[in-house]
Amino acid sequence: MAATAEPRDREQRVSDALEHLGTDSDLWVATAGDAEPWLVPLSFHWTGKALLMATLRRNRTCRNLAAGGGARVALGHTRDVVMLDGEVDLPEDLPDDEADAVAVASGYDPRTDEETAYIRFTPQRVQVWRTAEEIEGRTVMRDGRWS
């Protein structure tokens, strides 16, 4: 993707972020714990307010999150980034409609494996940019509200 002459306005960036959230199926999750950063790809479902994911409880990502560590997730290509920082919850169960959506997104049903944990990630800050021309104004959500 070539550099754009004019940066996208806030409305277009929010629209593009919501498009990624609504149509992408995979993202990168970054956590830290035990003095080591950790980055993994996970499938996700966007509820309109939160990202839902599943992974094994024994995985470092889940252990880091259970220990109270925060997370950062990234969607898109390096020239079309959606970066989210947020609050994480590890619910024991999800409502059936959400669990069904996670199963479709991930290609397996986490309810069939008691070792699987759900992750609910609620964005508090979202940044969107393509190239250096869009670094200014990249934050489109603050404190959980689209700005």
Side-chain angles (χ1 to χ4, degrees), residues 45-56:
H45 169 72
W46 171 244
T47 69
K49 295 184 188 241
L51 297 163
L52 303 176
M53 299 164 270
T55 191
L56 295 177

Side-chain angles (χ1 to χ4, degrees), residues 31-33 55-71 88-90 92 117-119:
T31 62
T55 191
L56 295 177
R57 292 180 197 286
R58 68 178 173 269
N59 288 350
R60 183 173 293 172
T61 297
C62 194
R63 292 193 325 260
N64 288 347
L65 295 173
V88 177
D89 180 37
L90 300 171
E92 286 298 316
Y118 288 110
I119 301 166

Side-chain angles (χ1 to χ4, degrees), residues 89-100:
D89 180 37
L90 300 171
E92 286 298 316
D93 294 307
L94 294 176
D96 285 340
D97 61 328
E98 290 183 346
D100 290 343

